[in-house]
Amino acid sequence: MNSFKDRDMISLRDMTIDDLWTIVSRTGEIKTGKHRDCLKDKTIASLFFEPSTRTRLSFESAVVKSGGSVFGFADPGSSSQKKGESFSDSIRTVTGYCDAMVIRHPVEGAARLASEVATVPVINAGDGANQHPTQTFLDLFTIYEEFGRLKNLKIGIMGDLKYGRTVHSLTHAMALFDAEMIFISPPSLKMPSTILSDLSEKGVSFRTLIAPEGAADMNLDILYVTRIQKERFGDPQEYKNVAHGYRIDKSTIAALGEQVRIMHPLPRVDEIAEEVDETPNAIYFTQAHNGVPTRQALLGLVTGGIN
Ligand code: NCD
């Protein structure tokens, strides 16, 4: 029985460990050639109210590879929002044109609101600084491919933990898999207290650090690095105070140990030196490429093309 059929994908908070295993295992099946044409006769709307390279293009590639069709916009300036149409009216209209819709929006809660007016499944491709569930799905798949397990890993989650939606979703998921989490960020970009108190309530252990070198003796399996989310700062001075404050290079890897795998949702600005790309520790481009099969699996599940 496919528990994903007709379901919205808005937040990791709505998901169980079984849901996450379903995504990971179906993605593995897609990679071995199963579920070909799982989006045959399906039409997917791709509505990006905010810039994107990987998320939008990997969703669109996923639809085409699975035999479906995709339409939408990459720039809200080309939609009727420009004429003053409300978000709800746009969604109410597009829901009649498609079998599922993928939405990225700068406002927290936009995807949830869309799911309340749409009659087809809504997939949140990032809502402001809140959540980015499909990034977490591909992160989990990449971790599983690399380590052969999801449970009991030691992960450093680093960078802009305040505004980074990828790490908000990832933290929920890693907590379900009993990870030991080390949050590494400048003090002003700490993980929101709502998320930390949620972890404490669940009895999940975590530590906080301000620099990755502090994790030198911890034998981290993964260092998950993120970009400072410049576009979310209300005050440009607040951004300037923290910009260019950290950078992972080969010496960081030497300090953390050769076992560490470096992940990043991308795009990177300057937080990972290019010299890291050629090391066996860097798995961020593989991670980005896993966006396609992961999104094929997810769209196949929600539209019923995969059971
Ligand atoms: C992330 C996002 O949009 O939140 N990018 C992505 O989807 N891979 C991370 C970021 O923009 O820094």
Side-chain angles (χ1 to χ4, degrees):
M1 173 63 194
N2 167 14
S3 67
F4 281 80
K5 175 105 179 18
D6 299 327
R7 217 170 122 183
D8 303 308
M9 291 290 130
I10 307 297
S11 168
L12 253 290
R13 284 176 187 273
D14 308 331
M15 308 209 66
T16 65
I17 199 159
D18 285 349
D19 292 333
L20 299 176
W21 275 122
T22 298
I23 297 279
V24 169
S25 59
R26 293 296 172 275
T27 303
E29 290 167 8
I30 295 263
K31 277 192 105 165
T32 62
K34 273 184 88 176
H35 311 300
R36 252 178 230 288
D37 290 333
C38 65
L39 295 174
K40 190 170 180 295
D41 299 328
K42 302 292 183 198
T43 304
I44 309 298
S46 161
L47 312 179
F48 278 71
F49 295 88
E50 226 190 20
S52 172
T53 301
R54 274 149 291 271
T55 305
R56 184 173 67 82
L57 297 179
S58 66
F59 259 117
E60 296 186 4
S61 169
V63 177
V64 173
K65 275 178 186 271
S66 295
S69 349
V70 59
F71 70 93
F73 52 80
D75 169 13
S78 67
S79 79
S80 278
Q81 300 257 303
K82 193 86 181 167
K83 300 182 192 166
E85 183 174 52
S86 74
F87 178 68
S88 299
D89 279 1
S90 299
I91 299 301
R92 227 175 248 125
T93 305
V94 176
T95 195
Y97 302 161
C98 62
D99 298 294
M101 61 173 89
V102 177
I103 301 181
R104 169 171 287 190
H105 200 283
V107 175
E108 290 187 21
R112 181 81 68 195
L113 172 64
S115 72
E116 281 158 14
V117 292
T119 54
V120 298
V122 171
I123 296 175
N124 181 6
D127 62 323
N130 186 30
Q131 286 272 315
H132 192 348
T134 69
Q135 178 68 43
T136 295
F137 300 159
L138 74 92
D139 294 343
L140 291 176
F141 180 76
T142 306
I143 292 170
Y144 186 70
E145 261 193 333
E146 188 66 29
F147 293 90
R149 69 182 206 277
L150 291 171
K151 277 199 117 95
N152 297 320
L153 288 159
K154 201 182 265 193
I155 180 168
I157 300 182
M158 175 178 164
D160 186 346
L161 309 186
K162 180 177 180 184
Y163 297 116
R165 55 195 175 197
T166 62
V167 291
H168 298 162
S169 294
L170 182 66
T171 297
H172 282 295
M174 294 314 288
L176 289 175
F177 289 106
D178 300 320
E180 203 176 317
M181 289 186 267
I182 297 102
F183 297 124
I184 309 165
S185 73
S188 63
L189 297 179
K190 282 196 309 223
M191 191 58 86
S193 55
T194 47
I195 296 182
L196 294 182
S197 49
D198 198 39
L199 293 179
S200 301
E201 266 168 40
K202 291 187 182 130
V204 178
S205 74
F206 65 85
R207 275 184 273 183
T208 55
L209 292 173
I210 55 166
E213 290 72 18
D217 57 350
M218 290 183 189
N219 219 24
L220 290 184
D221 296 301
I222 301 162
L223 181 66
Y224 192 103
V225 186
T226 61
R227 167 182 79 88
I228 297 192
Q229 308 282 297
K230 183 178 181 184
E231 66 277 26
R232 311 244 181 263
F233 284 74
D235 172 5
Q237 189 56 44
E238 194 202 344
Y239 170 70
K240 281 199 189 123
N241 292 344
V242 286
H244 319 296
Y246 54 89
R247 185 170 170 88
I248 303 303
D249 57 18
K250 282 185 176 172
S251 71
T252 329
I253 294 174
L256 295 178
E258 284 308 319
Q259 80 295 336
V260 74
R261 292 291 171 267
I262 310 292
M263 297 181 72
H264 192 307
L266 303 177
R268 78 173 141 190
V269 181
D270 56 5
E271 58 280 353
I272 300 182
E274 283 185 15
E275 65 175 21
V276 174
D277 301 0
E278 70 202 31
T279 69
N281 311 80
I283 59 170
Y284 31 87
F285 287 109
T286 307
Q287 184 186 350
H289 295 154
N290 280 333
V292 176
T294 307
R295 289 167 170 133
Q296 286 177 274
L298 177 65
L299 288 169
L301 284 164
V302 300
T303 59
I306 299 177
N307 280 305

